[in-house]
Amino acid sequence: MKKYLVILFVFALVLCTVSGIAQPKKIRIGVLGKSVHPYWDVVRLGMATAAKELDVDATFYVPPTEDVPNQIKTLETWIGMKFDGISFAPSDPNAVNPVIKKAMANGILCISQDTDAPKSGRLCYIGTSNYEAGKIAGKKMTEILKGKGKVAICTGSITAMNSLERIKGFRDALAGSPGIKIVDPVLVDNENTAKAIELAQTALVKNPDLNAFFGVYAFNGPSAAKAVKAAGKVGKIHIVAFDTTDEHLFMIKDGLIDAAIGQRQYFMGYLSVVVLRDMIQAGKEATMMLLPKTKDGDTIIDTGVDVVTKANLANYVKMLDNWGVKHQFKP
Ligand code: BGC
């Protein structure tokens, strides 16, 4: 009798495996970033860590530089592949709205990270509160310049919401310091490092009285620092940057960058997987109920920022170690 039961059990197991009952389909999600950069490697690490822990099949992609058609093509491909969920960082929110709407209409759950597209129909945004972070950068700049000086703003995009919000926050924070002048226009490099260095060099030549750079994206601060170093103006021109890649950390240590607004992008990748997996597995509404709401009823997970300077560099690096974010920096 026992022998028959065992045979029956093995037969049932084989049947289930063949028909797919015993092995539920693995959840497939895509995480889309904006440009190839060490900043995005950390988002990818967060994604891969959560995917491993939760047994999710996660795909990561970033175009080489800012590239809206490439982002749309990637989203279309993922819709065609019938992914279960997508987390996207749109370089141009208006341009991606239709394709995100299409994905949602096809039953693919979509959320945004790093930079938002609130009119796309996405279910939630996970990332920095960029306006507030821009204000923090502006306050730091005012403090460094002691309320007086000329500042150039460098960014990788003038369509992405995170860039526009950071610039707005920065300008608003400086509005109370009439002694600080902002050089117009903003220098835009489309997330291209070589172009960013070139623009910073030109700004130094055109504005011999320049006192500071505000680097809006991850490569902007280090690019401006390279231009400042080449011009022999280290210590004379101040830099407030966004992000904390190895390059930033070494430049803070060497006094090339005064302060960096560190984003916690590891969690943008990590939480993208957790939230999408829960929405897909436990249900969209059940998951949404648990997520934080703004006063307008929007669903936003604010991952927070850290202001990093020479004074707290060692402690900041300890925090990166605790999160499992790899770096080459030794304080
Ligand atoms: C921004 C990203 C950008 C990255 C690299 C970060 O500060 O949040 O949107 O792609 O810099 O440029």
Side-chain angles (χ1 to χ4, degrees):
M1 182 64 183
K2 210 170 159 195
K3 191 173 143 204
Y4 286 117
L5 276 178
V6 171
I7 291 170
L8 208 66
F9 177 71
V10 171
F11 180 69
L13 205 70
V14 169
L15 199 72
C16 288
T17 309
V18 169
S19 64
I21 301 167
Q23 290 179 333
K25 189 175 118 304
K26 238 185 177 187
I27 288 172
R28 287 190 309 156
I29 69 162
V31 176
L32 176 65
K34 288 170 65 237
S35 65
V36 171
H37 191 276
Y39 168 89
W40 286 103
D41 295 343
V42 178
V43 178
R44 181 186 207 144
L45 176 73
M47 178 205 79
T49 308
K52 195 165 173 224
E53 285 169 10
L54 299 174
D55 197 26
V56 167
D57 192 344
T59 302
F60 183 84
Y61 180 74
V62 273
T65 59
E66 179 179 67
D67 189 340
V68 176
N70 188 335
Q71 282 198 319
I72 293 175
K73 204 176 106 210
T74 306
L75 291 167
E76 289 283 7
T77 305
W78 290 350
I79 294 173
M81 289 169 75
K82 299 190 183 353
F83 275 14
D84 301 294
I86 291 175
S87 169
F88 65 106
S91 287
D92 182 347
N94 294 329
V96 298
N97 283 346
V99 69
I100 294 302
K101 286 198 166 83
K102 178 174 164 189
M104 295 282 295
N106 278 274
I108 301 172
L109 303 182
C110 296
I111 62 174
S112 58
Q113 45 57 40
D114 178 66
T115 182
D116 203 4
K119 293 188 184 135
S120 62
R122 54 87 180 130
L123 297 163
C124 83
Y125 164 70
I126 304 174
T128 300
S129 169
N130 286 294
Y131 175 73
E132 292 307 324
K135 261 177 127 175
I136 294 172
K139 279 189 196 140
K140 199 73 202 162
M141 185 63 94
T142 314
E143 189 187 306
I144 292 166
L145 294 180
K146 300 189 177 68
K148 202 169 160 291
K150 194 170 176 187
V151 186
I153 302 178
C154 324
T155 187
S157 174
I158 41 159
T159 48
M161 266 184 78
N162 58 356
S163 166
L164 298 176
E165 288 174 343
R166 285 174 203 175
I167 295 173
K168 178 149 187 4
F170 184 79
R171 284 186 191 276
D172 286 356
L174 259 49
S177 305
I180 302 184
K181 300 270 170 282
I182 294 177
V183 178
D184 274 318
V186 167
L187 311 172
V188 190
D189 52 59
N190 304 100
E191 302 214 36
N192 179 324
T193 308
K195 199 168 158 193
I197 299 175
E198 200 185 301
L199 287 172
Q201 277 169 339
T202 312
L204 286 174
V205 174
K206 277 196 185 161
N207 304 278
D209 56 343
L210 195 75
N211 302 100
F213 281 103
F214 169 41
V216 177
Y217 273 179
F219 54 90
N220 290 125
S223 299
K226 282 174 195 155
V228 168
K229 198 172 176 186
K233 290 191 167 178
V234 176
K236 290 194 189 92
I237 300 201
H238 298 280
I239 299 176
V240 173
F242 257 79
D243 302 305
T244 50
T245 65
D246 274 331
E247 207 176 18
H248 291 81
L249 302 178
F250 282 113
M251 286 181 167
I252 293 172
K253 187 180 174 189
D254 295 345
L256 283 155
I257 292 180
D258 295 75
I261 313 300
Q263 300 189 77
R264 299 175 183 166
Q265 75 269 32
Y266 175 84
F267 297 99
M268 299 181 200
Y270 189 91
L271 293 174
S272 283
V273 177
V274 174
V275 167
L276 282 173
R277 197 286 305 246
D278 283 359
M279 283 178 173
I280 294 156
Q281 206 157 291
K284 191 170 80 183
E285 276 77 27
T287 306
M288 292 286 279
M289 244 171 54
L290 301 172
L291 301 178
K293 299 275 176 296
T294 64
K295 59 178 184 322
D296 312 324
D298 197 3
T299 309
I300 287 181
I301 302 180
D302 181 352
T303 40
V305 293
D306 304 287
V307 181
V308 186
T309 62
K310 219 183 224 181
N312 65 3
L313 197 50
N315 280 341
Y316 179 73
V317 170
K318 268 189 213 147
M319 203 161 80
L320 290 183
D321 291 336
N322 290 342
W323 291 339
V325 173
K326 296 181 192 83
H327 60 84
Q328 304 298 319
F329 181 74
K330 301 266 174 300

